[in-house]
């Protein structure tokens, strides 16, 4: 008899799943393998997926994933299925924020078509004026950013309230920004491994090795994920523009007059000789990210 479960962690060739209903002996979690037919069907299993488990050994707490349910969403990196909120975490110190890197993370998050939020960690390590300046800057980008500190407790109450709403939230961002430290502050019993930032390179050290889901409140899950420093951009340049909230807002007010526009610059004035300018091509418009989101 098959049981319904949710994948809460992937480790090597095994999956940890949380059962929808406890089994015999009040078993709630199983360590599972994946049936080879899933690969033949092209069904990749990600953390957050709903799956059916068969061949269950309740004593050894093991089983085999036989099928995957429909997905409502997919965050490609880190790979998390059925997420409802993406929280991009960037530190204000050690390492300092990089606007271009942050933009790449936001683009990756926006591709999931889910709610995207920004979290500034280590806010206790910089002057208040600097914190406020970054928060205002992100407001101009279309995000209501929250500044927090796992050490001083700044903003942790509001963060806990946000993450405690029903759904699956994913904390993602570069290495060393303090994602695991924030979860430890919210859920002290977790005791997730953390490490200091490299003093010479000012880069984070990878302490989280895999994506794992944790229960923060009833019906509210949060995913800790490994850090990485350079998210990929969409392969289709024309899909890039609408991943910027400020461009979506501008286009809603005044649609771009170029059908295949790449939103890379402001149209040039018509030339005297031909009466046309470079603005008639796909290379220029007034909703350019470079103009709306300067480095």
């Amino acid at each position: 008899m098959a049981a319904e479960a949710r994948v809460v962690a992937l480790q090597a060739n095994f999956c940890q799943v949380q059962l929808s209903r406890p089994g015999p002996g009040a078993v709630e979690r199983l360590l599972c393998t994946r049936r080879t037919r899933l690969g033949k069907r092209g069904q990749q299993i990600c953390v957050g997926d709903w799956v059916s488990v068969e061949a269950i050994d309740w004593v050894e707490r093991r089983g085999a994933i036989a099928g995957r349910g429909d997905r409502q969403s997919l965050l490609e990196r880190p790979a998390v299925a059925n997420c409802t909120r993406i929280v991009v975490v960037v530190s204000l110190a050690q390492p300092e924020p990089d606007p271009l890197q942050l933009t790449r993370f936001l683009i990756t998050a926006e591709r999931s078509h889910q709610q995207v939020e920004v979290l500034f960690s280590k806010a206790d390590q910089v002057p208040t004026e600097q914190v406020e300046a970054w928060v205002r800057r992100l407001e101009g980008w279309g995000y209501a950013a929250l500044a927090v500190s796992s050490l001083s407790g700044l903003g942790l109450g509001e963060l806990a309230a946000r993450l405690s709403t029903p759904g699956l939230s994913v904390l993602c961002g570069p290495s060393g920004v303090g994602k695991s430290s924030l979860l430890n502050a919210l859920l002290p019993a977790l005791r997730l491994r953390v490490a200091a930032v490299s003093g010479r390179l000012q880069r984070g050290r990878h302490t989280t090795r895999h994506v794992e889901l944790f229960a923060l409140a009833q019906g509210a899950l949060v995913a800790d994920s490994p850090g990485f420093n350079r998210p990929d951009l969409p392969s289709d340049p024309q899909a890039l523009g609408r991943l910027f909230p400020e461009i979506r807002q501008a286009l809603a007010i005044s649609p771009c007059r170029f059908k295949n526009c790449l939103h890379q610059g402001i149209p040039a004035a018509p030339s005297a000789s031909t009466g046309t300018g470079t603005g008639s091509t796909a290379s220029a418009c007034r909703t350019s990210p470079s103009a709306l989101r300067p480095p």
Side-chain angles (χ1 to χ4, degrees):
M1 181 176 180
E4 183 186 57
R6 188 170 204 171
V7 179
V8 295
L10 294 179
Q11 296 173 288
N13 295 323
F14 296 93
C15 303
Q16 285 277 357
V17 303
Q18 179 82 30
L19 295 167
S20 298
R21 296 180 181 178
V27 173
E28 295 185 344
R29 285 200 176 193
L30 299 172
L31 183 64
C32 298
T33 57
R34 285 161 277 192
R35 295 296 195 198
T36 55
R37 62 175 177 262
L38 292 174
K40 294 178 180 179
R41 296 172 183 168
Q43 290 188 329
Q44 179 190 14
I45 301 298
C46 297
V47 171
D49 272 325
W50 288 101
V51 295
S52 59
V53 182
E54 62 183 21
I56 300 175
D57 185 333
W58 295 107
V59 176
E60 297 294 332
R61 302 189 179 191
R62 290 178 175 268
I65 295 177
R68 189 193 74 193
D70 294 334
R71 288 173 173 168
Q72 303 303 314
S73 65
L74 176 65
L75 178 63
E76 295 181 359
R77 189 178 183 192
V80 182
N82 300 312
C83 50
T84 55
R85 179 189 296 108
I86 319 298
V87 182
V88 177
V89 185
V90 59
S91 66
L92 291 173
Q94 296 184 337
E96 295 181 354
D98 178 347
L100 180 57
Q101 183 187 57
L102 174 55
T103 295
R104 280 178 170 263
F105 272 99
L106 291 173
I107 289 172
T108 300
E110 291 284 354
R111 291 172 68 183
S112 71
H113 303 293
Q114 301 302 306
Q115 180 180 344
V116 179
E117 300 178 6
V118 178
L119 203 61
F120 284 120
S121 63
K122 305 181 185 181
D124 60 318
Q125 299 185 27
V126 297
T128 302
E129 296 78 11
Q130 187 173 338
V131 176
E132 294 174 347
W134 271 105
V135 170
R136 288 194 302 271
R137 184 173 187 175
L138 266 292
E139 288 177 351
W141 292 8
Y143 300 98
L146 175 64
V148 297
S149 169
S150 58
L151 293 179
S152 70
L154 173 69
L156 290 184
E158 184 175 348
L159 176 60
R162 291 187 184 187
L163 299 182
S164 295
T165 56
L168 171 53
S169 303
V170 181
L171 298 185
C172 64
S175 303
V177 297
K179 299 182 293 295
S180 297
S181 295
L182 289 171
L183 285 178
N184 283 338
L186 296 175
L187 296 168
L190 289 182
R191 297 182 180 179
L192 299 175
R193 182 168 172 258
V194 298
V197 171
S198 169
R200 182 172 64 89
L201 299 176
Q202 286 297 289
R203 291 180 181 175
R205 295 169 177 166
H206 298 279
T207 54
T208 301
R209 299 297 181 182
H210 60 274
V211 181
E212 186 167 357
L213 304 186
F214 303 101
L216 192 61
Q218 183 66 33
L221 297 171
V222 59
D224 189 20
S225 66
F228 57 97
N229 294 317
R230 192 170 178 82
D232 296 328
L233 294 176
S235 57
D236 179 10
Q238 293 189 32
L240 190 61
R242 292 191 177 274
L243 299 178
F244 290 78
E246 59 270 54
I247 287 185
R248 291 199 300 268
Q249 182 179 6
L251 292 176
I253 297 173
S254 178
C256 183
R257 61 192 178 95
F258 307 112
K259 293 182 179 180
N260 60 342
C261 190
L262 299 182
H263 310 292
Q264 292 181 337
I266 298 174
S271 64
S273 59
T274 63
T276 61
T278 58
S280 60
T281 71
S283 64
C285 84
R286 298 186 182 276
T287 54
S288 165
S290 60
L292 297 171
R293 192 176 292 188

